[in-house]
């Protein structure tokens, strides 16, 4: 008797032992036993579910007047998923939260973890609420290969509008803020700024 013992295979519906003598043994449990005469045999292991990998996946055994046991261990195949952020200040904490309950965080620009084949929904967040994402929730699919996802953060800004009253129509006037001068010949000057405190100066041309 030759007995193959499969560890971690209770979840597999079907796996195979292919022998060098041309036999293919179908197994749907954790053990399979078959008879062989004395001799040396090569084998390979395969599964119907490619999400699981056998170890060893191939080898040899020798029948020499006694029963033989061969142990095969099946493991879930995982692939690397890498999120790479751009735009956050150096050292900012940010997070990737998966719909399966997993959560990952980093203060560098990458978050890397492993997942088996499947579809996943995720959300992205950061402790620095001055930065946001155009698409904070999305999904990805692992399908036999590593996955790379770009995460572009942008600085949240708000509209600042200065409205003048009293100048003759069409008069050019100026606002200088953070070393940048804005001008208009209408009664408003509008620009955008992130959260913060600002000093400004207002001027009109010397006539």
């Amino acid at each position: 008797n030759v007995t193959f013992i499969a560890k971690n295979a209770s979840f597999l519906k079907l796996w195979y032992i292919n022998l060098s003598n041309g036999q293919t043994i179908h197994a749907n449990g954790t053990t399979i036993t078959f008879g062989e005469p004395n001799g040396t045999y090569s084998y390979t292991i395969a599964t119907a579910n490619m999400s699981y990998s056998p170890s060893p996946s191939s080898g040899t055994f020798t029948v020499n007047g006694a029963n033989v046991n061969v142990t095969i261990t099946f493991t879930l195949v995982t692939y690397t998923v890498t999120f790479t952020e751009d735009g956050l200040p150096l050292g900012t904490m940010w997070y990737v939260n998966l719909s399966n309950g997993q959560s990952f965080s980093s203060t560098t620009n990458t978050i890397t973890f492993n997942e088996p084949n499947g579809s996943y929904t995720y959300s992205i967040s950061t402790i620095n609420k001055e930065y946001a994402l155009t698409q904070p929730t999305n999904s990805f699919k692992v399908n036999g290969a590593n996955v790379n996802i770009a995460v572009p953060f942008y600085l949240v800004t708000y509209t600042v509008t200065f409205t003048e009253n009293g100048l003759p129509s069409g008069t050019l006037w100026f606002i200088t803020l953070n070393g940048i001068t804005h001008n208009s010949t209408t009664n408003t000057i509008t620009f955008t700024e992130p959260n913060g405190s600002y000093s400004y100066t207002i001027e009109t041309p010397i006539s």
Side-chain angles (χ1 to χ4, degrees):
N1 285 335
V2 178
T3 300
F4 275 71
I5 303 166
K7 293 185 176 180
N8 303 330
S10 58
F11 45 77
L12 290 177
K13 293 182 179 179
L14 190 62
W15 55 286
Y16 309 88
I17 304 163
N18 301 302
L19 299 182
S20 52
N21 63 7
Q23 287 180 282
T24 296
I25 314 298
H26 295 73
N28 59 5
T30 56
T31 62
I32 184 70
T33 300
F34 51 93
E36 294 295 339
N38 286 343
T40 298
Y41 303 83
S42 298
Y43 67 87
T44 59
I45 305 295
T47 66
N49 186 342
M50 301 306 293
S51 293
Y52 294 88
S53 174
S55 178
S57 60
S58 63
T60 61
F61 63 87
T62 299
V63 179
N64 188 18
N67 296 333
V68 176
N69 292 326
V70 181
T71 299
I72 305 295
T73 300
F74 288 91
T75 55
L76 184 63
V77 179
T78 61
Y79 300 89
T80 300
V81 179
T82 301
F83 284 75
T84 303
E85 73 82 11
D86 180 58
L88 288 178
L90 187 65
T92 301
M93 181 75 76
W94 60 291
Y95 306 88
V96 176
N97 302 303
L98 300 186
S99 54
N100 63 9
Q102 292 177 287
S103 183
F104 307 91
S105 64
S106 177
T107 54
T108 70
N109 72 325
T110 60
I111 291 177
T112 300
F113 50 90
N114 293 323
E115 295 294 338
N117 285 341
S119 297
Y120 301 85
T121 301
Y122 66 87
S123 62
I124 306 289
S125 61
T126 177
I127 62 172
N128 189 340
K129 300 308 179 185
E130 293 185 2
Y131 291 82
L133 292 161
T134 302
Q135 198 167 24
T137 61
N138 208 331
S139 63
F140 65 90
K141 186 175 183 178
V142 180
N143 187 22
N146 296 335
V147 176
N148 294 292
I149 300 170
V151 183
F153 283 93
Y154 65 88
L155 184 62
V156 178
T157 59
Y158 302 90
T159 300
V160 180
T161 301
F162 284 76
T163 303
E164 69 82 13
N165 181 38
L167 289 176
S169 178
T171 301
L172 185 66
W173 60 293
F174 304 86
I175 295 176
T176 301
L177 180 72
N178 293 336
I180 299 175
T181 299
H182 309 263
N183 64 77
S184 177
T185 55
T186 70
N187 70 328
T188 61
I189 293 177
T190 300
F191 47 90
T192 59
E193 293 293 338
N195 287 344
S197 298
Y198 301 88
S199 297
Y200 62 89
T201 58
I202 297 179
E203 298 176 272
T204 58
I206 298 175
S207 58

